Amino acid sequence: MFEKLQAGLYEAIRTLAGQGKLTESNMREGLRLVQQALLEADVSMPVVKAFIEKVSQEALGERVMRSLRPTQQLLTIVYEQLVALMGPVDHDLHLKPSGSTIMLCGLQGSGKTTTAAKLGRYLQQRGYKPMLVAADLQRPAAIEQLQILGEKIGAPVYVEKGATDPLVVCRNALRQMPTLGANVAILDTAGRLHVDQALMNQLAAIDRLIQPDQVYLVVDAMTGQDAVNSARAFHEALTLNGVILTKLDGDARGGAALSVKYVTGVPIKFIGTGEGTDALEEFHPERIASRILGQGDLMTLIEQARQKIDQEEALRQQERLQKGEFTLEDFRRLLEQTTRLGPLNQVIQLVPGMSQLLHDMGDEVDTDRAFRRLCGIIDSMTPEERRKPEIIDLSRRRRIAAGAGVKPQEVAELVRLFEPISQIMREMASQGLRGRMQMMYQLMTQAARDPGVIFRGVKGSTGKRLRPEEKAKLRKLREKELKRRRKEKRGR
């Protein structure tokens, strides 16, 4: 999510960072690059103009020109304006204990039915008892899909077979709430392929006569400017309380997230980040702005870890670590738990600094493939080798490599790297969850910067061994690059 926008803004800021001193001239050039990045991300033109104007007022003032770190100051200004553009957001759903109704609306294909189940699961986690109402009588598969999803999350689904009037279905459903043991009804209404008067009349009637407590518009983020246009049309016909952006895990360019609030005045309440019923996040402007600028989102990562990682297994691991025990078997289990947080390329984007690091490393980085390769190597070892990797000699490396379908040097690299990893993991045992996440970032950074391990695929053999002087030259180049990055980081 936001990869293209993130890359564009990163390049703009990095261009300015290369200047010895910021002047009005090169500052304007940097802002032009920022503007170009926003437009390429499909941000609405009026939004881009307003955003650049506000950033310019701050960036060309004394606040930046007299700053000791002007590029860092500019980055702060862009961050502040991104937050202001998307926020503020009230995450309280304002539901009544006696019983409430949430109405979902949107175009066909935006993901309303799946979002109804995601929202139901979100409410369950907060102590509510939701009921899903099949009020989409236009799409034949919608009712069956809602029933399957309702069964998956363990929530009742109200269905009227043969019904033709969604308003009647909604009314009857609300009467059945006490019987079904529910205190929140989620209405899955019909959509159309495009905005039309018949759809708006139907939705307006439900809104007027049912009087739901909250009305949320479900918008497909991958539709770009169409998402903003449909949001405007729905808001003019209904009184929206919020927007739910879906499919932000796909090739969404991020423009809708930056444009919807400015154009409609309606806040984005949630974002959908996957197909699973647990893939619904509260929308936090400051976190999204941090992700866009490549600064990660540690709070979301911590929340996901609490929800998705097996806490009993994590506790057992911590007890072993506190005893000074951490083997390759433990490392394998740690990798499995990490994959539960979602696709690794997405998880790593939440780690501060990793997006810039991966960007600098280019297309060679394939984290999912690298993690699978690591697991394959460990699985090819005997139990004794996993507990005592120091016994893995040349013949064992060859056997393990053949079993995992990798090169012997990859096995050697894993064994070489495991000692510092195990040391870091033992240190993490004394930390809280936030501290462990920050140490994991350090581990990922160290591994990513070391060519040939974990995140960087091993290149095919050229049939030529490097001479000692060539190896020394490469080592010096790596050290020089590491120093440059450290210096650049201090400069920010």
Side-chain angles (χ1 to χ4, degrees), residues 217-452:
L217 175 66
V218 181
V219 174
D220 180 352
M222 295 182 71
T223 57
Q225 282 304 298
D226 287 341
V228 179
N229 296 333
S230 64
R232 184 191 290 111
F234 274 94
H235 187 50
E236 289 172 355
L238 307 167
T239 302
L240 299 176
N241 299 102
V243 172
I244 301 177
L245 275 181
T246 63
K247 305 179 186 178
L248 275 169
D249 57 316
D251 190 26
R253 288 181 284 179
L258 295 179
S259 303
V260 166
K261 172 66 185 300
Y262 181 87
V263 173
T264 66
V266 179
I268 299 171
K269 298 280 273 193
F270 299 96
I271 52 175
T273 57
E275 292 294 328
T277 55
D278 59 343
L280 187 73
E281 298 177 14
E282 291 181 346
F283 184 81
H284 294 271
E286 64 282 0
R287 298 186 191 181
I288 297 299
S290 183
R291 288 191 213 181
I292 290 172
L293 294 176
Q295 304 302 308
D297 183 357
L298 202 58
M299 285 305 300
T300 295
L301 185 60
I302 290 171
E303 288 173 3
Q304 289 183 1
R306 284 177 176 152
Q307 293 172 11
K308 299 178 183 179
I309 286 180
D310 185 339
Q311 298 301 315
E312 291 185 6
E313 174 62 26
L315 185 60
R316 284 194 294 270
Q317 282 187 0
Q318 185 165 353
E319 289 174 351
R320 286 174 54 78
L321 285 168
Q322 288 172 341
K323 294 177 183 178
E325 301 173 5
F326 187 74
T327 67
L328 280 166
E329 290 177 335
D330 297 314
F331 185 48
R332 175 72 168 82
R333 284 192 287 268
L334 178 66
L335 293 177
E336 282 183 351
Q337 290 212 335
T338 304
T339 59
R340 293 179 191 174
L341 297 178
L344 292 169
N345 283 317
Q346 292 183 23
V347 174
I348 285 177
Q349 296 296 325
L350 303 179
V351 181
M354 281 303 294
S355 57
Q356 288 102 322
L357 185 58
L358 294 177
H359 178 272
D360 289 342
M361 292 173 69
D363 296 332
E364 292 182 62
V365 179
D366 185 344
T367 50
D368 288 282
R369 178 176 172 273
F371 269 60
R372 288 194 301 270
R373 188 170 65 246
L374 277 179
C375 292
I377 293 172
I378 297 172
D379 289 342
S380 296
M381 296 178 182
T382 65
E384 184 181 16
E385 288 167 344
R386 294 173 198 162
R387 289 191 295 271
K388 300 177 181 178
E390 64 272 10
I391 69 172
I392 299 176
D393 54 18
L394 179 59
S395 62
R396 288 176 184 264
R397 284 203 302 270
R398 288 173 175 167
R399 191 204 77 245
I400 294 167
V406 300
K407 298 181 185 301
Q409 60 262 39
E410 293 186 63
V411 180
E413 288 286 2
L414 173 58
V415 173
R416 181 183 66 80
L417 193 71
F418 179 68
E419 179 53 37
I421 288 176
S422 61
Q423 182 179 348
I424 291 174
M425 293 306 298
R426 286 192 290 269
E427 291 175 5
M428 287 172 74
S430 61
Q431 302 288 329
L433 184 57
R434 182 189 290 269
R436 292 202 296 274
M437 287 296 177
Q438 290 173 334
M439 290 194 72
M440 182 58 75
Y441 158 58
Q442 294 171 3
L443 170 62
M444 286 178 169
T445 303
Q446 174 189 344
R449 282 176 172 161
D450 190 348

Side-chain angles (χ1 to χ4, degrees), residues 103-152:
M103 174 180 168
L104 299 183
C105 59
L107 295 179
Q108 189 172 309
S110 61
K112 286 192 309 301
T113 302
T114 306
T115 299
K118 291 179 181 179
L119 189 58
R121 190 176 187 277
Y122 173 87
L123 292 171
Q124 287 173 336
Q125 292 174 337
R126 283 148 184 80
Y128 293 98
K129 297 177 180 179
M131 172 184 74
L132 309 181
V133 180
D136 183 355
L137 308 181
Q138 302 291 328
R139 188 166 64 90
I143 295 175
E144 183 181 355
Q145 182 186 359
L146 194 65
Q147 288 176 312
I148 293 171
L149 290 169
E151 183 178 348
K152 189 173 183 179

Side-chain angles (χ1 to χ4, degrees), residues 444-465:
M444 286 178 169
T445 303
Q446 174 189 344
R449 282 176 172 161
D450 190 348
V453 298
I454 299 188
F455 293 118
R456 189 186 294 273
V458 176
K459 296 182 179 179
S461 173
T462 61
K464 175 186 174 183
R465 285 182 177 273

Side-chain angles (χ1 to χ4, degrees), residues 90-114:
D90 177 11
H91 293 108
D92 190 341
L93 298 181
H94 303 285
L95 302 180
K96 297 176 291 191
S98 58
S100 297
T101 306
I102 298 175
M103 174 180 168
L104 299 183
C105 59
L107 295 179
Q108 189 172 309
S110 61
K112 286 192 309 301
T113 302
T114 306

